[in-house]
Amino acid sequence: MANSGQKVVLITGCSSGIGLRIAVTLAKDEKSRYHVIATMRDLKKKDKLVEAAGDAYGKTLMLLPLDVCSDESVRQCINNVKDRHIDILINNAGVGLLGPVESISIEEMKRVFETNFFGVVRMIKEVMPDMKKRRSGHIIVMSSVMGLQGVVFNDVYTASKFAMEGFCESMAVQLMKFNIRLSMIEPGPVHTEFETKMMEDVAKMEYPGADADTVRYFKDVYLPSSTDIFEAMGQTPDDIAKCTKKVIESNSPRFRNLTNSLYTPIVALKYADETGGLSVNTFYNLLFNFGPLMHITMSILKCLTCSCLRRRTISPN
């Protein structure tokens, strides 16, 4: 139970990665300003979180089961919070999907949207009425740079993030009238166990339904380039957690928060040309015409940029 003066923070998807690090970072706040409710679909996967939380577990951090794909689970989780009072909701739960779209079933696509989009909508719908009554609250959504700029062979995942960005941009205007802030956290590549395993798995998979050229472009062109980008520009879950904490503690939190300054020029391409041709043609040339040059550039960037630059996060204040 939260002590007087503590803000109640509910976080989805805390079994590993970014969600785990956000939960631990807030629970270990030096001033004990937060009472963290870390949630996950299966509490049998709590061990990593409990170990990382250390003495904070049972004091400033508690666990609740939550499946963001279930209306009943979402309702029951919020009902288990004292007075349903949540000051800060952090929507972190998400799933990825990568590969040629011809080989991805509609059911797989729906599962991605069920978690990445409708899961967020369920959570916001459940906590928003109480926040409106109190005229207070902060909703944070873990988006992605792919919610701003499309990336080849990430078609479905990108679409789910674009949908979330549009939903939240619309909601933010209404929520301001009730003194509720809505902030998007938009990382680029992040080094997590989930990402590593997914990249290893997709390289070994077969892709029925996709032609041989497309599969070759995916495995021999896209995947090596993606690996180069991850190694040169990737951040850690701790980087994203620190960024999220800054956004929470800002007196005037931004709506959009890119966590990696190295991605700012890439996103800017899209807004520099309203026809869309500049960004589409630039990414086409980088991938298919200048692949070797891109590999060399990423290698140089990896060598030259110190960790403080590659992990640089935004400073909302």
Side-chain angles (χ1 to χ4, degrees), residues 10 27 63 67 72 105 141 171 215 221 223 231-232 259 278 298 300:
L10 189 142
L63 295 175
D67 179 1
E72 180 57 33
S105 70
V141 177
M171 286 295 307
V215 174
V221 180
L223 287 181
E231 291 180 352
T259 69
L278 179 61
M298 289 297 106
I300 293 172

Side-chain angles (χ1 to χ4, degrees), residues 166-177:
F167 175 83
C168 291
E169 187 173 307
S170 302
M171 286 295 307
V173 177
Q174 178 202 151
L175 293 176
M176 283 183 68
K177 191 65 177 175

Side-chain angles (χ1 to χ4, degrees), residues 35-221:
H35 175 71
V36 178
I37 303 170
T39 71
M40 60 189 72
R41 186 166 49 186
D42 183 2
L43 289 183
K44 293 177 182 177
K45 297 181 179 180
K46 68 181 180 180
D47 292 350
K48 288 183 181 179
L49 174 59
V50 171
E51 181 181 355
D55 293 341
Y57 180 60
K59 297 177 181 176
T60 54
L61 185 145
M62 64 172 289
L63 295 175
L64 283 179
L66 170 64
D67 179 1
V68 298
C69 297
S70 164
D71 292 346
E72 180 57 33
S73 178
V74 169
R75 190 176 305 112
Q76 185 174 350
C77 178
I78 303 304
N79 285 340
N80 284 333
V81 178
K82 187 177 185 297
D83 299 326
R84 292 175 57 91
H85 183 112
I86 295 169
D87 296 295
I88 302 166
L89 169 66
I90 302 179
N91 294 283
N92 170 73
V95 295
L97 187 61
L98 183 62
V101 72
E102 301 98 314
S103 63
I104 301 172
S105 70
I106 295 297
E107 287 307 311
E108 288 178 285
M109 297 182 190
K110 286 180 177 179
R111 281 195 290 271
V112 171
F113 271 81
E114 193 62 51
T115 300
N116 293 1
F117 178 68
F118 291 110
V120 174
V121 173
R122 282 189 186 90
M123 294 303 301
I124 292 177
K125 279 171 60 71
E126 195 66 29
V127 305
M128 186 170 60
D130 294 288
M131 286 185 172
K132 282 184 171 181
K133 289 176 185 176
R134 298 194 308 269
R135 291 296 199 273
S136 175
H138 194 174
I139 296 171
I140 293 177
V141 177
M142 194 59 60
S143 182
S144 167
V145 71
M146 291 191 203
L148 302 173
Q149 172 63 58
V151 176
V152 63
F153 292 119
N154 287 267
D155 319 86
V156 179
Y157 176 79
T158 296
S160 72
K161 294 298 184 179
F162 264 71
M164 190 166 62
E165 289 270 348
F167 175 83
C168 291
E169 187 173 307
S170 302
M171 286 295 307
V173 177
Q174 178 202 151
L175 293 176
M176 283 183 68
K177 191 65 177 175
F178 294 88
N179 196 37
I180 301 169
R181 296 293 182 179
L182 198 159
S183 299
M184 312 294 289
I185 309 295
E186 295 154 332
V190 180
H191 296 290
T192 65
E193 293 178 10
F194 169 79
E195 291 287 352
T196 302
K197 186 176 185 305
M198 183 173 70
M199 294 296 282
E200 291 174 353
D201 289 345
V202 296
K204 302 172 186 174
M205 289 173 60
E206 301 294 329
Y207 294 94
D211 60 273
D213 283 343
T214 299
V215 174
R216 180 167 55 84
Y217 294 145
F218 174 60
K219 289 189 174 184
D220 298 342
V221 180

Side-chain angles (χ1 to χ4, degrees), residues 270-291:
K270 182 172 183 176
Y271 297 98
D273 173 19
E274 73 277 7
T275 71
L278 179 61
S279 61
V280 170
N281 290 329
T282 297
F283 282 106
Y284 173 83
N285 285 317
L286 282 174
L287 188 63
F288 293 111
N289 292 336
F290 306 130

